Amino acid sequence: MNATQTGILAGLILGLAATQGFTAFLITLAVGVIGLVVGRVLDGELDLGDVFGRGRDK
């Protein structure tokens, strides 16, 4: 299991533990996406400098 899979799994579990109902769905979705992004950064598959426009040569 790589960091991307671990990150999204941890995010989904934390989101489900938050509340119940439609709010839980939204929280789970948001925390799952955060976990996915963190996992991809740790795996080196996503460079935040590219996402936010930093590090580009002008």
Side-chain angles (χ1 to χ4, degrees):
M1 183 178 275
N2 61 23
T4 300
Q5 294 168 335
T6 304
I8 195 164
L9 184 63
L12 292 174
I13 290 171
L14 287 172
L16 284 174
T19 58
Q20 294 179 353
F22 184 69
T23 305
F25 169 74
L26 294 177
I27 292 171
T28 302
L29 183 64
V31 177
V33 168
I34 292 168
L36 175 67
V37 170
V38 169
R40 292 213 178 239
V41 168
L42 291 176
D43 276 343
E45 296 177 12
L46 180 65
D47 183 18
L48 291 180
D50 291 341
V51 173
F52 293 114
R54 297 179 188 161
R56 284 188 277 160
D57 293 333
K58 291 185 179 184

